Amino acid sequence: MFKKNQTLGEFIIEHQSSFKYTSGELSRLINSIRLAAKVVNHEVNKAGLVDIIGAAGDTNIQGEDQQKLDVYANQKFIQTLTNRNIVCGIASEEEDDFISINSQDENNQNRYVVLIDPLDGSSNIDVNVSVGTIFSIYRRVTPVGSPVTVDDFLQKGNQQVASGYIVYGTSTMIVYTTGDGVNGFTLNPAIGTFYLSHPNMQFPENGRIYSVNEGNYVQFPQGIKNYIKYCQKEEGDRPYTSRYIGSLVSDFHRNIIKGGIYLYPKNAKNPNGKLRLLYECNPMAFLAEQANGKASDGFTRILDIQPKELHQRVPFVCGSKNMVDTLEQFMKLAL
Ligand code: P6P
């Protein structure tokens, strides 16, 4: 039962008892993400006005220019999660290795690790196109009180206890799941409060939108090429509409509301795909499945892939269940 005008804080309290680990730790963790989201939102919204735009002159492990807002968002989420002493480890797209929190303190009873893409789509910042933060939360698998190891982060996506994103768009929203459906909260910037605006979000089973960077078409696997031509063919409810923002969070958010499929296949420049399994594909796949959608690498369920390293990339298709099913049929037929 969803209460009109319920705030995110009220929602967390009301639904805490439905979460199997009802220690309240996860609630505090979601609350700390809410705070960091408001702080980053403030900077993103004024990015055009202050000297915070443009590459910070550094590059991250991905070899991509680090925008200053990338660096800022990364620092803010790490600082907020650390200061509130809720997690025992953090991994980030912007950090070469994972960060162990209070690892010297054997009293550190924190059980959660967080993986984040602090500002996804950051190349859009300079052109005022929406960007987002993606987060993924697990319970540690190594003994409580000991320093975290990489094994705490290299868990399959089906072990996530929560995931979500913040989209800094025409309005700022937090969309997340703790395994009991997907709910969206919109920020009222005048008072700095998130309100439940999209209860029980569900992917329409069918959609008419496909999102892919068709500039890479000639390098796509044959099954992807055949599916794109299928989308464009005059037949039945096709041709579909092509919509590609270049920001995963924004394309996903539009597709979960309207129905659609997002594809980032492997190509010559990205032989394993471009998107990172741990802090982009797994959290979005958990959301998709919790919203009656589907996510795979074209063949294998994303949440069943065993990660091998922190910044591992995979091909990624995600969205309306029947559209992903059709894509996977094209991939099988093209083998
Ligand atoms: P391309 C942003 O860098 C990102 O990780 C996703 O948010 C986005 O969908 C994709 O890469 C865009 O990549 O190669 O199409 O510019």
Side-chain angles (χ1 to χ4, degrees):
M1 198 273 284
F2 296 99
K3 298 189 178 94
K4 195 167 169 51
N5 289 336
Q6 187 172 39
T7 68
L8 174 54
E10 291 160 354
F11 182 90
I12 290 170
I13 292 165
E14 182 174 311
H15 289 79
Q16 179 168 297
S17 56
S18 70
F19 182 61
K20 55 190 174 196
Y21 310 106
T22 55
S23 66
E25 225 175 332
L26 184 71
S27 299
R28 285 170 46 223
L29 178 40
I30 301 288
N31 271 315
S32 65
I33 288 172
R34 170 178 59 163
L35 171 63
K38 285 195 274 193
V39 172
V40 170
N41 175 64
H42 179 69
E43 289 304 316
V44 167
N45 283 349
K46 65 179 188 177
L49 301 174
V50 296
D51 178 30
I52 198 164
I53 275 189
D58 196 357
T59 61
N60 61 22
I61 193 170
Q62 326 297 338
E64 296 162 348
D65 283 348
Q66 261 187 314
Q67 303 282 339
K68 283 183 182 175
L69 266 178
D70 272 351
V71 177
Y72 178 83
N74 187 50
Q75 288 165 354
K76 279 302 158 197
F77 275 93
I78 290 173
Q79 174 191 351
T80 308
L81 290 166
T82 304
N83 290 352
R84 292 206 169 179
N85 188 23
I86 301 167
V87 301
C88 52
I90 301 171
S92 169
E93 180 192 36
E94 303 302 338
E95 301 290 334
D96 295 354
D97 201 355
F98 64 85
I99 300 166
S100 183
I101 310 289
N102 298 336
S103 55
Q104 307 315 324
D105 172 6
E106 71 279 0
N107 299 318
N108 175 0
Q109 298 303 305
N110 297 338
R111 289 171 174 73
Y112 292 102
V113 295
V114 181
L115 300 96
I116 55 171
D117 182 356
L119 209 63
D120 181 70
S122 54
S123 56
N124 285 322
I125 293 166
D126 290 354
V127 293
N128 202 15
V129 169
S130 56
V131 292
T133 297
I134 307 172
F135 61 89
S136 171
I137 302 172
Y138 292 85
R139 286 173 73 83
R140 68 180 301 174
V141 293
T142 53
V144 172
S146 65
V148 289
T149 73
V150 72
D151 293 339
D152 291 306
F153 298 93
L154 298 184
Q155 298 184 54
K156 288 184 179 180
N158 59 34
Q159 297 302 303
Q160 289 174 98
V161 294
S163 77
Y165 58 83
I166 297 106
V167 52
Y168 310 101
T170 46
S171 58
T172 297
M173 284 189 67
I174 291 184
V175 176
Y176 80 96
T177 181
T178 56
D180 187 25
V182 176
N183 295 284
F185 300 81
T186 299
L187 178 66
N188 176 342
I191 55 176
T193 301
F194 284 95
Y195 286 92
L196 178 61
S197 53
H198 296 67
N200 191 28
M201 297 179 83
Q202 295 273 300
F203 264 104
E205 286 208 332
N206 298 294
R208 301 190 63 255
I209 294 171
Y210 69 100
S211 310
V212 64
N213 182 342
E214 295 191 53
N216 299 323
Y217 179 86
V218 293
Q219 304 164 19
F220 284 156
Q222 192 56 48
I224 296 288
K225 290 180 179 176
N226 296 343
Y227 179 70
I228 289 173
K229 289 306 165 202
Y230 166 83
C231 292
Q232 295 169 344
K233 190 173 180 184
E234 297 250 8
E235 190 177 72
D237 64 344
R238 287 169 284 127
Y240 293 157
T241 294
S242 173
R243 287 283 184 276
Y244 190 69
I245 300 170
S247 172
L248 167 60
V249 168
S250 304
D251 281 312
F252 181 99
H253 190 72
R254 181 204 52 247
N255 290 346
I256 195 173
I257 291 169
K258 292 182 174 246
I261 185 170
Y262 170 95
L263 308 106
Y264 207 103
K266 65 182 181 181
N267 57 51
K269 187 181 165 204
N270 299 289
N272 296 312
K274 176 184 180 185
L275 301 187
R276 275 65 60 151
L277 173 60
L278 289 183
Y279 40 79
E280 289 177 317
C281 301
N282 271 336
M284 301 311 270
F286 187 29
L287 286 166
E289 293 195 2
Q290 284 289 313
N292 190 40
K294 190 170 181 182
S296 77
D297 63 2
F299 301 98
T300 306
R301 181 186 182 224
I302 288 290
L303 297 183
D304 290 338
I305 295 174
Q306 175 56 57
K308 295 183 176 61
E309 60 96 20
L310 277 184
H311 301 288
Q312 175 176 347
R313 300 173 191 265
V314 291
F316 187 57
V317 293
C318 177
S320 293
K321 188 177 176 319
N322 294 345
M323 297 181 86
V324 175
D325 285 344
T326 302
L327 176 280
E328 289 176 348
Q329 286 162 16
F330 276 93
M331 296 302 282
K332 283 196 185 79
L333 285 171
L335 285 176

XYZ file of all heavy atoms in Angstrom, residues 251-308:
462
model
N 18.576 6.464 -20.418
C 17.924 5.558 -21.373
C 17.133 4.475 -20.634
O 16.001 4.148 -21.010
C 18.982 4.925 -22.301
C 19.425 5.878 -23.405
O 18.550 6.484 -24.052
O 20.651 6.019 -23.609
N 17.721 3.945 -19.558
C 17.019 2.926 -18.756
C 15.745 3.521 -18.160
O 14.666 2.915 -18.213
C 17.955 2.431 -17.635
C 17.359 1.364 -16.752
C 17.644 0.018 -16.952
C 16.498 1.692 -15.698
C 17.102 -0.973 -16.139
C 15.952 0.713 -14.889
C 16.252 -0.615 -15.107
N 15.859 4.744 -17.612
C 14.712 5.358 -16.922
C 13.561 5.578 -17.905
O 12.404 5.288 -17.607
C 15.139 6.683 -16.286
C 14.114 7.265 -15.371
N 13.825 6.735 -14.139
C 13.279 8.342 -15.531
C 12.865 7.449 -13.562
N 12.519 8.424 -14.390
N 13.868 6.049 -19.101
C 12.801 6.253 -20.095
C 12.174 4.904 -20.474
O 10.961 4.753 -20.550
C 13.347 6.928 -21.364
C 12.279 7.188 -22.430
C 12.874 7.296 -23.822
N 13.711 6.149 -24.118
C 15.020 6.226 -24.283
N 15.651 7.382 -24.193
N 15.710 5.130 -24.535
N 13.035 3.888 -20.636
C 12.529 2.588 -21.079
C 11.687 1.887 -20.022
O 10.718 1.196 -20.351
C 13.692 1.682 -21.515
C 14.337 2.152 -22.820
O 13.781 2.989 -23.546
N 15.517 1.636 -23.108
N 12.028 2.066 -18.722
C 11.223 1.394 -17.682
C 9.841 2.029 -17.605
O 8.849 1.375 -17.259
C 11.930 1.436 -16.299
C 11.281 0.437 -15.332
C 11.930 2.835 -15.706
C 12.011 0.287 -14.011
N 9.739 3.283 -18.005
C 8.440 3.968 -17.957
C 7.635 3.707 -19.241
O 6.458 3.376 -19.201
C 8.634 5.490 -17.736
C 9.171 5.738 -16.311
C 7.335 6.261 -17.971
C 9.640 7.164 -16.067
N 8.320 3.781 -20.391
C 7.598 3.691 -21.671
C 7.671 2.303 -22.309
O 6.936 2.020 -23.263
C 8.172 4.712 -22.657
C 7.892 6.172 -22.260
C 8.435 7.128 -23.289
C 8.004 8.560 -22.946
N 7.090 9.146 -23.921
N 8.618 1.478 -21.852
C 8.866 0.206 -22.537
C 9.982 0.409 -23.548
O 10.034 1.438 -24.232
N 10.896 -0.534 -23.611
C 11.986 -0.408 -24.582
C 13.142 -1.324 -24.210
O 13.092 -2.025 -23.192
N 14.172 -1.292 -25.075
C 15.359 -2.127 -24.849
C 16.597 -1.277 -25.049
O 16.650 -0.451 -25.959
C 15.363 -3.349 -25.812
C 16.536 -4.296 -25.512
C 15.395 -2.903 -27.273
C 16.449 -5.629 -26.266
N 17.579 -1.456 -24.161
C 18.871 -0.773 -24.254
C 19.917 -1.828 -24.618
O 19.919 -2.936 -24.046
C 19.213 -0.124 -22.912
C 20.623 0.405 -22.816
C 20.901 1.734 -23.079
C 21.693 -0.427 -22.478
C 22.190 2.233 -23.001
C 22.981 0.060 -22.408
C 23.226 1.381 -22.672
O 24.522 1.871 -22.603
N 20.780 -1.479 -25.572
C 21.821 -2.435 -25.973
C 23.184 -1.758 -25.977
O 23.333 -0.672 -26.540
C 21.559 -2.949 -27.397
C 20.172 -3.516 -27.706
C 19.388 -2.523 -28.564
C 20.258 -4.827 -28.436
N 24.171 -2.376 -25.320
C 25.555 -1.990 -25.542
C 26.345 -3.258 -25.889
O 26.919 -3.906 -25.012
C 26.204 -1.236 -24.371
C 27.297 -0.343 -24.930
C 27.100 1.006 -25.083
C 28.497 -0.885 -25.421
C 28.068 1.821 -25.675
C 29.459 -0.101 -26.022
C 29.232 1.249 -26.161
O 30.193 2.041 -26.770
N 26.357 -3.633 -27.162
C 27.028 -4.880 -27.572
C 28.540 -4.701 -27.592
O 29.038 -3.576 -27.482
C 26.511 -5.099 -28.997
C 25.440 -4.098 -29.217
C 25.696 -2.967 -28.278
N 29.242 -5.786 -27.759
C 30.692 -5.681 -27.945
C 30.926 -5.075 -29.331
O 30.062 -5.148 -30.216
C 31.377 -7.037 -27.813
C 31.012 -8.062 -28.867
C 31.731 -9.391 -28.599
C 31.390 -10.414 -29.675
N 32.054 -11.717 -29.425
N 32.073 -4.407 -29.484
C 32.440 -3.899 -30.809
C 33.960 -3.883 -30.893
O 34.637 -4.302 -29.949
C 31.826 -2.499 -31.040
C 32.251 -1.502 -29.964
O 33.434 -1.354 -29.676
N 31.276 -0.851 -29.336
N 34.502 -3.407 -31.994
C 35.965 -3.487 -32.203
C 36.713 -2.761 -31.075
O 37.682 -3.259 -30.515
C 36.325 -2.889 -33.558
N 36.184 -1.590 -30.673
C 36.871 -0.795 -29.632
C 36.661 -1.413 -28.255
O 37.508 -1.304 -27.367
C 36.323 0.636 -29.663
C 37.056 1.626 -28.750
C 36.436 3.011 -28.825
C 36.902 3.902 -27.671
N 35.933 4.986 -27.380
N 35.533 -2.093 -28.080
C 35.209 -2.712 -26.777
C 34.877 -4.181 -27.003
O 33.702 -4.554 -27.052
C 34.015 -1.994 -26.132
C 34.273 -0.515 -25.857
O 35.051 -0.179 -24.973
N 33.642 0.358 -26.640
N 35.921 -5.039 -27.146
C 35.672 -6.451 -27.492
C 34.869 -7.215 -26.442
O 34.288 -8.245 -26.743
C 37.092 -7.034 -27.640
C 38.001 -6.069 -26.970
C 37.353 -4.711 -27.055
N 34.815 -6.672 -25.185
C 33.977 -7.316 -24.163
C 32.774 -6.452 -23.815
O 32.145 -6.629 -22.788
C 34.801 -7.575 -22.890
C 35.926 -8.555 -23.159
O 35.704 -9.610 -23.760
N 37.140 -8.178 -22.792
N 32.481 -5.462 -24.672
C 31.442 -4.499 -24.333
C 32.069 -3.346 -23.578
O 33.223 -3.421 -23.138
N 31.354 -2.264 -23.384
C 31.902 -1.076 -22.712
C 31.466 -1.001 -21.257
O 32.230 -0.554 -20.397
C 31.443 0.189 -23.438
C 31.890 1.466 -22.742
C 31.350 2.706 -23.410
C 31.817 3.965 -22.689
N 31.194 5.188 -23.251
N 30.262 -1.441 -20.966
C 29.718 -1.252 -19.618
C 30.349 -2.210 -18.627
O 30.684 -3.353 -18.961
C 28.201 -1.416 -19.633
C 27.448 -0.452 -20.548
C 25.948 -0.603 -20.350
C 27.862 0.990 -20.335
N 30.508 -1.725 -17.368
C 31.162 -2.513 -16.337
C 30.127 -3.379 -15.623
O 29.054 -2.924 -15.238
C 31.847 -1.573 -15.338
C 33.248 -1.114 -15.742
C 33.297 -0.253 -16.984
N 32.538 0.968 -16.851
C 32.818 2.105 -17.497
N 33.842 2.139 -18.295
N 32.058 3.163 -17.340
N 30.482 -4.635 -15.439
C 29.566 -5.613 -14.844
C 29.180 -5.232 -13.431
O 28.003 -5.243 -13.076
C 30.218 -7.005 -14.834
C 29.452 -8.117 -14.093
C 28.064 -8.329 -14.701
C 30.255 -9.419 -14.115
N 30.161 -4.848 -12.597
C 29.898 -4.744 -11.164
C 29.079 -3.521 -10.757
O 28.222 -3.612 -9.881
C 31.220 -4.742 -10.389
C 31.966 -6.067 -10.364
C 33.211 -5.964 -9.501
C 31.073 -7.169 -9.830
N 29.361 -2.358 -11.379
C 28.685 -1.151 -10.888
C 27.847 -0.456 -11.954
O 27.424 0.678 -11.772
C 29.695 -0.165 -10.276
C 30.989 -0.052 -11.019
C 31.083 0.711 -12.171
C 32.128 -0.719 -10.595
C 32.264 0.813 -12.873
C 33.322 -0.630 -11.288
C 33.389 0.134 -12.437
O 34.577 0.241 -13.129
N 27.617 -1.110 -13.075
C 26.635 -0.611 -14.046
C 25.638 -1.730 -14.375
O 24.442 -1.620 -14.100
C 27.344 -0.124 -15.321
C 28.128 1.172 -15.113
C 28.884 1.619 -16.352
O 29.494 0.777 -17.026
O 28.875 2.826 -16.637
N 26.115 -2.851 -14.934
C 25.197 -3.884 -15.424
C 24.459 -4.612 -14.303
O 23.231 -4.774 -14.371
C 25.956 -4.867 -16.308
S 26.737 -4.067 -17.710
N 25.175 -5.043 -13.250
C 24.496 -5.786 -12.182
C 23.413 -4.969 -11.478
O 22.274 -5.458 -11.318
C 25.514 -6.313 -11.163
C 26.051 -7.689 -11.549
O 25.396 -8.442 -12.275
N 27.240 -7.998 -11.074
N 23.717 -3.713 -11.051
C 22.648 -2.949 -10.390
C 21.459 -2.678 -11.303
O 20.299 -2.781 -10.877
C 23.340 -1.648 -9.954
C 24.659 -1.611 -10.654
C 25.011 -3.007 -10.995
N 21.715 -2.375 -12.588
C 20.607 -2.104 -13.508
C 19.844 -3.398 -13.810
O 18.618 -3.397 -13.964
C 21.115 -1.467 -14.798
C 21.867 -0.154 -14.611
S 21.060 1.067 -13.563
C 20.096 1.957 -14.763
N 20.550 -4.522 -13.848
C 19.884 -5.810 -14.097
C 18.997 -6.202 -12.925
O 17.884 -6.727 -13.113
C 20.933 -6.894 -14.361
N 19.459 -5.931 -11.706
C 18.639 -6.249 -10.512
C 17.351 -5.421 -10.557
O 16.244 -5.926 -10.359
C 19.463 -5.951 -9.259
C 18.831 -6.377 -7.956
C 17.954 -7.450 -7.876
C 19.133 -5.700 -6.782
C 17.383 -7.846 -6.664
C 18.578 -6.089 -5.560
C 17.697 -7.155 -5.506
N 17.495 -4.122 -10.859
C 16.313 -3.253 -10.995
C 15.387 -3.780 -12.091
O 14.171 -3.898 -11.898
C 16.733 -1.825 -11.338
C 17.349 -0.974 -10.236
C 18.012 0.258 -10.839
C 16.300 -0.566 -9.211
N 15.982 -4.137 -13.240
C 15.162 -4.573 -14.377
C 14.323 -5.789 -14.002
O 13.111 -5.816 -14.225
C 16.053 -4.886 -15.579
N 14.957 -6.776 -13.377
C 14.232 -8.011 -13.027
C 13.192 -7.750 -11.946
O 12.104 -8.322 -11.969
C 15.207 -9.105 -12.606
C 16.095 -9.585 -13.742
C 16.803 -10.899 -13.443
O 16.585 -11.474 -12.360
O 17.564 -11.377 -14.306
N 13.514 -6.841 -11.011
C 12.540 -6.498 -9.976
C 11.349 -5.727 -10.562
O 10.304 -5.607 -9.930
C 13.214 -5.646 -8.889
C 14.098 -6.455 -7.950
C 13.256 -7.331 -7.028
O 12.275 -6.860 -6.447
N 13.604 -8.602 -6.920
N 11.539 -5.194 -11.772
C 10.468 -4.432 -12.438
C 9.903 -5.220 -13.617
O 9.435 -4.627 -14.601
C 11.010 -3.084 -12.919
N 9.975 -6.556 -13.530
C 9.383 -7.428 -14.558
C 10.080 -7.309 -15.913
O 9.520 -7.623 -16.950
C 7.882 -7.095 -14.721
C 7.156 -8.114 -15.590
O 7.412 -9.320 -15.481
N 6.299 -7.620 -16.487
N 11.323 -6.793 -15.894
C 12.104 -6.716 -17.129
C 13.136 -7.815 -17.166
O 13.049 -8.808 -16.412
N 14.150 -7.648 -18.044
C 15.157 -8.712 -18.217
C 16.492 -8.087 -18.601
O 16.520 -6.998 -19.186
C 14.675 -9.671 -19.322
C 15.477 -10.938 -19.457
C 14.810 -11.940 -20.399
C 15.644 -13.223 -20.483
N 15.079 -14.210 -21.413
N 17.582 -8.754 -18.265
C 18.916 -8.240 -18.623
C 19.861 -9.407 -18.863
O 19.937 -10.339 -18.054
C 19.472 -7.359 -17.507
N 20.572 -9.364 -20.001
C 21.538 -10.424 -20.300
C 22.700 -9.844 -21.093
O 22.702 -8.649 -21.428
C 20.856 -11.541 -21.119
O 20.712 -11.137 -22.492
N 23.654 -10.717 -21.424
C 24.758 -10.275 -22.296
C 24.461 -10.684 -23.741
O 25.331 -10.686 -24.592
C 26.104 -10.860 -21.826
C 26.125 -12.388 -21.910
O 25.122 -12.998 -22.372
O 27.153 -12.977 -21.506
N 23.215 -11.061 -23.964
C 22.769 -11.551 -25.273
C 22.511 -13.041 -25.217
O 21.755 -13.597 -26.015
N 23.135 -13.686 -24.212
C 22.977 -15.140 -24.050
C 22.715 -15.511 -22.586
O 21.835 -16.311 -22.285
C 24.258 -15.865 -24.504
C 24.628 -15.593 -25.946
C 25.576 -14.628 -26.269
C 24.018 -16.288 -26.978
C 25.917 -14.374 -27.606
C 24.348 -16.056 -28.312
C 25.300 -15.090 -28.623
N 23.499 -14.933 -21.662
C 23.482 -15.335 -20.246
C 22.883 -14.241 -19.371
O 23.185 -13.050 -19.576
C 24.938 -15.595 -19.767
O 25.547 -16.543 -20.656
C 24.974 -16.112 -18.334
N 22.062 -14.634 -18.429
C 21.479 -13.680 -17.459
C 22.606 -12.927 -16.769
O 23.534 -13.550 -16.224
C 20.663 -14.480 -16.440
C 19.966 -13.657 -15.367
C 19.315 -14.569 -14.345
N 18.589 -13.840 -13.302
C 18.653 -14.117 -12.001
N 19.422 -15.113 -11.581
N 17.957 -13.419 -11.126
N 22.539 -11.590 -16.780
C 23.616 -10.773 -16.196
C 23.875 -11.167 -14.742
O 25.021 -11.331 -14.305
C 23.263 -9.273 -16.288
C 23.369 -8.785 -17.735
C 24.142 -8.421 -15.366
C 24.775 -8.692 -18.301
N 22.792 -11.372 -13.984
C 22.931 -11.603 -12.535
C 23.579 -12.948 -12.204
O 23.931 -13.194 -11.056
C 21.566 -11.489 -11.842
C 20.877 -10.137 -11.918
C 19.561 -10.150 -11.134
C 21.780 -9.013 -11.416
N 23.732 -13.812 -13.228
C 24.361 -15.128 -12.982
C 25.831 -15.149 -13.395
O 26.498 -16.171 -13.227
C 23.610 -16.232 -13.755
C 22.219 -16.486 -13.173
O 22.013 -16.137 -11.987
O 21.354 -17.019 -13.906
N 26.346 -14.060 -13.937
C 27.743 -14.037 -14.397
C 28.684 -13.930 -13.189
O 28.482 -13.084 -12.313
C 27.986 -12.851 -15.356
C 27.153 -13.033 -16.643
C 29.475 -12.710 -15.701
C 27.220 -11.837 -17.606
N 29.669 -14.803 -13.106
C 30.635 -14.753 -12.016
C 31.697 -13.701 -12.345
O 32.445 -13.865 -13.294
C 31.315 -16.114 -11.835
C 32.445 -16.107 -10.773
C 31.994 -15.619 -9.415
O 31.062 -16.178 -8.828
N 32.628 -14.576 -8.891
N 31.759 -12.586 -11.591
C 32.776 -11.561 -11.876
C 34.183 -12.104 -11.642
O 34.403 -12.908 -10.737
C 32.455 -10.446 -10.871
C 31.061 -10.705 -10.407
C 30.881 -12.192 -10.471
N 35.122 -11.624 -12.465
C 36.515 -12.051 -12.300
C 37.413 -10.894 -11.857
O 38.440 -11.114 -11.225
C 37.045 -12.644 -13.615
C 36.325 -13.945 -14.025
C 36.939 -14.535 -15.293
C 36.270 -15.871 -15.638
N 34.801 -15.677 -15.902
